[in-house]
Amino acid sequence: MRRFWEKAVEGVLACSGFVTSLAIVLIVLFLFSEALGLFGSKVVEDGYVLALHKSNPVEELTPEQIKDIFDGELTNWKSVGGPDEPVQVFRLEDVSSYYTEEQLGPSYEHAGECITSLVERSPGMVAFVPAQFITRPDAVHVLSDRTISVKDVFAGAEWFPTATPAPLFGFLPLITGTLWVSFFAILFALPFGLAVAIYMSEVADKRVRNVLKPVIELLSGIPSVVYGFFGLIVLVPLLQQVFGLPVGESGLAGSLVLAVMALPTIITVTEDAMRNCPRAMREASLALGASQWQTIYKVVIPYSVSGITSGVVLGIGRAVGETMAVLMVTGNAAVIPHSILEPLRTIPATIAAELGEAPAGGAHYASLFLLGVVLFFISLSINLTVEAVSLRRNK
């Protein structure tokens, strides 16, 4: 009977492990399948075309050039290899400025012919209209469209997924914002975390340690939204006043909040690593005439360097994946930051803020899943680093 129950428990545990592993694999596959749909989407909004005068030699425009043209920042075709002709932008809603209701027809049945004729006689015009409104394709020059490329995504410097006629899905501002905030968070957290860990492991007596350790571990249980509220109400106005910033929401505010959130992980792992240093090594150092502080930085810390590194890397993982607190205090500006005092946006904050508004199956939706893939690889690299450091520590 006992043998039967042992086999049953073993089977349940094996089944649980298999189901968990299968669920993880399916989640990853779903993430990748949804993300790769972005590279099958067209640069210009689906169902629309960009029509030019037949004499215009421009064959293709990048998403950035299209945005600049329709935003009025690019005003002459010569800038994109076309004729020395001013750019004239036309959208479908502008048709009433050129034609009367009688000319367009009661049900706009003549709109297509009117728009085609307008482009045909306007040398500098670029018309963003549905494809069915170009009734005579041979009378105008329709720009060739292509699918969104890997270069457009990973080398793009602008994130504007709702722009028309060509959305911009540049990941550079989001990746740099994520790494920028995480780097400074660890830069702030590491000295304090290491100092507290040294104090708890080597200096504090048992009673103080028994009080501090639960309090520090309690910090990791505070919801991230509470840290976000604290940063928004206290930290952001303080930074705005101290540095004379137009707005206090900045990368620095996000870094400081993340530093506080990463401290419990760094302190706990580092303190455990230091306490694992053999007592004989400490006693041998003291017996040779070294002071307590010399023993700490010449014996204990070198022995525990692998554990300290693991704590730092785990703290980075906490900072990289944080969403709500960063969303509340960084300003959410999707631009490449040149200073830690500028507003920025991170990958998790972007996914959290925009996924609910992105149409399912569209390019915007797929781009957010691709951001999830990027975040997955960042987290994977961090976990692999922890494993490598742990193996080194065991050896």
Side-chain angles (χ1 to χ4, degrees), residues 266-341:
I266 296 174
I267 293 172
T268 302
V269 176
T270 302
E271 193 251 346
D272 289 342
M274 288 182 174
R275 289 179 64 81
N276 286 333
C277 180
R279 182 177 179 181
M281 294 184 66
R282 292 185 175 90
E283 292 176 347
S285 175
L286 294 172
L288 290 172
S291 66
Q292 183 182 12
W293 290 107
Q294 287 174 325
T295 300
I296 291 172
Y297 73 80
K298 287 189 175 181
V299 176
V300 177
I301 291 180
Y303 179 86
S304 311
V305 68
S306 297
I308 295 171
T309 306
S310 298
V312 172
V313 174
L314 289 172
I316 294 174
R318 175 71 190 270
V320 169
E322 181 52 47
T323 302
M324 187 53 64
V326 178
L327 181 66
M328 297 173 70
V329 301
T330 54
N332 289 316
V335 294
I336 298 177
H338 298 93
S339 166
I340 193 63
L341 297 176

Side-chain angles (χ1 to χ4, degrees), residues 53-74:
H53 191 269
K54 198 169 181 62
S55 63
N56 196 325
V58 176
E59 292 294 334
E60 187 177 318
L61 294 172
T62 65
E64 291 80 7
Q65 289 172 336
I66 295 173
K67 177 179 178 295
D68 289 343
I69 286 175
F70 280 82
D71 285 350
E73 297 177 10
L74 201 156

Side-chain angles (χ1 to χ4, degrees), residues 30-367:
F30 171 73
L31 188 66
F32 275 81
S33 64
E34 292 292 329
L36 293 177
L38 176 63
F39 300 114
S41 303
K42 295 290 187 179
V43 169
V44 179
E45 190 175 338
D46 191 33
Y48 285 75
V49 295
L50 293 175
L52 301 107
H53 191 269
K54 198 169 181 62
S55 63
N56 196 325
V58 176
E59 292 294 334
E60 187 177 318
L61 294 172
T62 65
E64 291 80 7
Q65 289 172 336
I66 295 173
K67 177 179 178 295
D68 289 343
I69 286 175
F70 280 82
D71 285 350
E73 297 177 10
L74 201 156
T75 58
N76 196 295
W77 285 108
K78 192 175 182 180
S79 304
V80 291
D84 188 6
E85 191 82 38
V87 175
Q88 184 181 359
V89 174
F90 177 85
R91 299 176 184 267
L92 185 61
E93 56 267 25
D94 299 330
V95 69
S96 58
S97 301
Y98 293 90
Y99 297 98
T100 63
E101 292 186 4
E102 290 77 11
Q103 291 173 309
L104 296 172
S107 303
Y108 277 57
E109 63 268 18
H110 303 308
E113 182 60 37
C114 291
I115 292 172
T116 304
S117 300
L118 178 64
V119 177
E120 187 179 7
R121 65 173 185 268
S122 305
M125 180 169 285
V126 53
F128 171 57
V129 292
Q132 64 265 26
F133 282 101
I134 303 299
T135 56
R136 291 181 288 111
D138 57 329
V140 297
H141 172 40
V142 177
L143 282 179
S144 59
D145 199 3
R146 60 176 175 83
T147 55
I148 297 171
S149 66
V150 174
K151 182 181 178 182
D152 293 335
V153 174
F154 290 98
E158 292 187 75
W159 173 263
F160 199 171
T162 57
T164 55
L168 299 175
F169 299 105
F171 281 9
L172 275 183
L174 308 180
I175 294 175
T176 54
T178 301
L179 298 179
W180 196 250
V181 168
S182 303
F183 171 75
F184 278 94
I186 296 304
L187 199 64
F188 297 145
L190 180 57
F192 291 101
L194 187 59
V196 175
I198 291 173
Y199 173 75
M200 291 178 59
S201 173
E202 305 298 323
V203 179
D205 58 38
K206 187 175 181 180
R207 287 178 299 177
V208 175
R209 186 185 302 117
N210 290 340
V211 173
L212 280 180
K213 194 171 180 67
V215 171
I216 291 172
E217 291 176 349
L218 183 65
L219 290 175
S220 61
I222 298 176
S224 59
V225 69
V226 176
Y227 285 106
F229 272 121
F230 172 78
L232 190 62
I233 301 301
V234 177
L235 200 57
V236 166
L238 179 64
L239 293 177
Q240 184 177 7
Q241 183 178 2
V242 170
F243 292 99
L245 303 174
V247 290
E249 289 89 351
S250 61
L252 180 58
S255 297
L256 291 174
V257 171
L258 288 181
V260 175
M261 298 178 69
L263 274 176
T265 302
I266 296 174
I267 293 172
T268 302
V269 176
T270 302
E271 193 251 346
D272 289 342
M274 288 182 174
R275 289 179 64 81
N276 286 333
C277 180
R279 182 177 179 181
M281 294 184 66
R282 292 185 175 90
E283 292 176 347
S285 175
L286 294 172
L288 290 172
S291 66
Q292 183 182 12
W293 290 107
Q294 287 174 325
T295 300
I296 291 172
Y297 73 80
K298 287 189 175 181
V299 176
V300 177
I301 291 180
Y303 179 86
S304 311
V305 68
S306 297
I308 295 171
T309 306
S310 298
V312 172
V313 174
L314 289 172
I316 294 174
R318 175 71 190 270
V320 169
E322 181 52 47
T323 302
M324 187 53 64
V326 178
L327 181 66
M328 297 173 70
V329 301
T330 54
N332 289 316
V335 294
I336 298 177
H338 298 93
S339 166
I340 193 63
L341 297 176
E342 296 178 5
L344 49 79
R345 179 183 285 191
T346 64
I347 291 176
T350 302
I351 296 173
E354 298 184 9
L355 188 59
E357 301 175 359
H364 187 191
Y365 182 82
S367 69

